[in-house]
Amino acid sequence: MSDAKDELKAVQAALGAEHAAVYGYGVVGGRIGEDRRGEARTAYDAHRARRDELQRAVRDLGGEPEPSAAAYKLPFAVPDSAAAVRLATELEERVAGVYSDLVRASTGARRGSAAEALREAAVRAARWRGGSVTFPGLAERSATSGSSAPQADRS
């Protein structure tokens, strides 16, 4: 059984990832080619909805939702559509990783919702990438240690 403190921490981390994804998709939308703009908009809307859901979940757990940062550090420059596609893939992979943590830390309906969000992020990542990975949300764990949550640009 998960500890309520761990669950709140995992929900806050997922909220942080969704804040970063919303920001990142703003960049993607500004650089993506016309042929994939609708896909970017759909993903942006999905992340906004998940962000709002997680803000409610934090409150339900007795916490105060972490606010969005003014800016987030991108993992690389995004000068064109090809880079925008790579960024969208990266955003989805990071979100999937954080939701895998939330699946592990939660139970019941919240665990089911986190698993659904993990699945959605993995499907979007596969579409952006043009292929899938064996264990979405866990693959990036082998390359990094610690949390997969994106970092706010506090500089």
Side-chain angles (χ1 to χ4, degrees):
M1 185 167 189
S2 71
D3 177 78
K5 187 176 175 183
D6 290 339
E7 185 174 13
L8 177 58
K9 183 178 177 183
V11 173
Q12 289 278 29
L15 175 58
E18 291 293 7
H19 282 315
V22 168
Y23 177 89
Y25 269 103
V27 175
V28 169
R31 298 284 192 262
I32 198 76
E34 186 65 38
D35 59 324
R36 297 195 81 178
R37 191 157 290 145
E39 187 177 354
R41 180 61 189 200
T42 299
Y44 174 79
D45 290 342
H47 287 292
R48 285 181 51 192
R50 288 282 181 190
R51 177 202 60 196
D52 295 347
E53 177 184 314
L54 288 165
Q55 287 173 328
R56 287 187 297 274
V58 168
R59 286 186 191 95
D60 289 348
L61 289 168
E64 182 63 33
E66 292 291 327
S68 177
Y72 291 84
K73 185 175 181 177
L74 299 176
F76 47 82
V78 186
D80 56 25
S81 184
V85 169
R86 285 195 325 273
L87 178 59
T89 303
E90 177 81 14
L91 292 169
E92 297 299 346
E93 289 172 347
R94 288 181 181 196
V95 166
V98 174
Y99 276 114
S100 71
D101 293 341
L102 184 53
V103 167
R104 188 171 49 250
S106 60
T107 60
R110 186 164 293 116
R111 176 178 254 176
S113 179
E116 178 64 17
L118 169 58
R119 185 195 66 78
E120 289 171 4
V123 168
R124 282 191 298 266
R127 285 184 183 141
W128 286 116
R129 184 184 313 102
S132 63
V133 294
T134 307
F135 295 107
L138 300 177
E140 49 285 333
R141 297 281 187 223
S142 64
T144 62
S145 63
S147 173
S148 345
Q151 299 299 310
D153 186 3
R154 306 266 187 220
S155 53

